[in-house]
Amino acid sequence: MAVRQFPTELQNTTKMAKHRSKRYKQAVALVQVGKNYSLTDAISTVKTFPAPKFTPTVTLSFHLGVDPRKSDQMVRGSVSLPHGTGRNVRVVVFAQGAAAEAAIAAGAEHVGYEDLIKRVQDGFTDFDSAIATPDAMAEVRKIARVLGPRGLMPNPKTGTVTDDTAKAVREVKAGRVDFKLDKNGNVSGSIGKASFEPSQLEENARAFVDSVVRAKPASAKGNYIQAVTLAASMLPGIPLEASTYSKTSA
């Protein structure tokens, strides 16, 4: 099977720079065209980029050798980053009774059942993660069209459908990242902030790579991870060398 590449906007930073800001162009000049970087060198390069007025989020994006049209080749999962994501994760929990009380005690921003579902139906989406108890899912499925496209639908495979709501809330807030294959065969997620120490970003990145590898579908054949790019918000992506992931992705 021919190796597929990331979309052009992720692989050709020179063309991208033509209509970008001065800061972006300065960052592009620091990336060697045609070079695949080690994870350590890629992180070091990101740290040298001219910083915007906010603290950029650093992400890893994977292009996978699977067919997103086939249900048995879906890739999804979660990873608990050793050093967290560096952001305040706003959590909603669909639960009632003791499970709702436990979620509140664990720090969930919004907890409820029918009332909360109605708020979401009416347009409330000011949150980053959604958790539900198994018995609440029958009602939560009614708002799947709202939660699904935003990657917020609770799912047992990511630990967001559970009776232990307190544990789920703590894990999400501590730095758990959920990931899911998109229609183009890509998976991406945050590994922290550009202000993190290089060693923290590297450890988070390696944890993310390992989780994506473990999520490989049994039906996937050939080269599973075909490309990985490290990037920070509003800054150019840096392609990683195959040694970052090839030893565990075959």
Side-chain angles (χ1 to χ4, degrees):
M1 180 175 63
V3 175
R4 291 179 291 176
Q5 299 296 325
F6 278 106
T8 301
E9 65 270 23
L10 290 179
Q11 63 178 323
N12 194 331
T13 56
T14 301
K15 290 183 179 180
M16 287 177 67
K18 291 182 179 180
H19 305 290
R20 296 286 190 167
S21 66
K22 180 180 178 180
R23 182 184 65 250
Y24 186 94
K25 293 177 181 180
Q26 290 173 337
V28 166
L30 298 174
V31 181
Q32 186 175 329
V33 177
K35 176 181 177 179
N36 290 335
Y37 286 68
S38 69
L39 180 58
T40 300
D41 289 344
I43 291 171
S44 296
T45 301
V46 166
K47 299 283 282 186
T48 67
F49 285 165
K53 295 181 180 180
F54 61 93
T55 303
T57 295
V58 181
T59 62
L60 272 187
S61 297
F62 301 77
H63 185 63
L64 304 180
V66 297
D67 189 341
R69 297 169 299 179
K70 297 181 178 179
S71 60
D72 64 346
Q73 294 194 28
M74 175 54 62
V75 176
R76 72 183 306 159
S78 62
V79 53
S80 294
L81 299 178
H83 303 285
T85 61
R87 61 193 290 258
N88 177 39
V89 181
R90 300 162 300 173
V91 182
V92 301
V93 179
F94 300 100
Q96 51 189 340
E101 294 175 3
I104 294 171
E109 278 74 11
H110 304 278
V111 180
Y113 187 45
E114 293 179 347
D115 57 333
L116 185 55
I117 290 172
K118 179 64 165 56
R119 285 185 65 192
V120 174
Q121 286 177 324
D122 292 341
F124 172 63
T125 57
D126 192 21
F127 50 91
D128 306 298
S129 182
I131 296 166
T133 55
D135 60 355
M137 284 303 295
E139 293 298 315
V140 173
R141 290 189 183 94
K142 295 179 181 179
I143 52 174
R145 291 185 178 180
V146 178
L147 300 180
R150 294 173 172 80
L152 296 171
M153 189 66 184
N155 189 291
K157 293 183 178 179
T158 60
T160 49
V161 176
T162 175
D163 285 314
D164 194 345
T165 55
K167 179 182 178 182
V169 169
R170 288 193 296 267
E171 287 181 348
V172 169
K173 285 186 167 291
R176 190 180 72 191
V177 174
D178 297 329
F179 57 86
K180 181 181 178 181
L181 188 74
D182 68 17
K183 64 180 181 180
N184 296 312
N186 300 324
V187 162
S188 64
S190 166
I191 59 165
K193 295 289 187 178
S195 57
F196 280 23
E197 292 296 321
S199 60
Q200 294 177 317
L201 287 172
E202 184 160 350
E203 288 175 21
N204 279 357
R206 295 196 183 282
F208 194 9
V209 170
D210 289 344
S211 292
V212 173
V213 169
R214 288 196 298 270
K216 178 181 179 180
S219 60
K221 306 298 181 184
N223 188 14
Y224 174 51
I225 298 180
Q226 299 189 345
V228 181
T229 297
L230 180 83
S233 306
M234 299 181 68
L235 292 166
I238 301 175
L240 301 185
E241 60 186 22
S243 61
T244 304
Y245 50 87
S246 60
K247 293 180 180 179
T248 52
S249 64

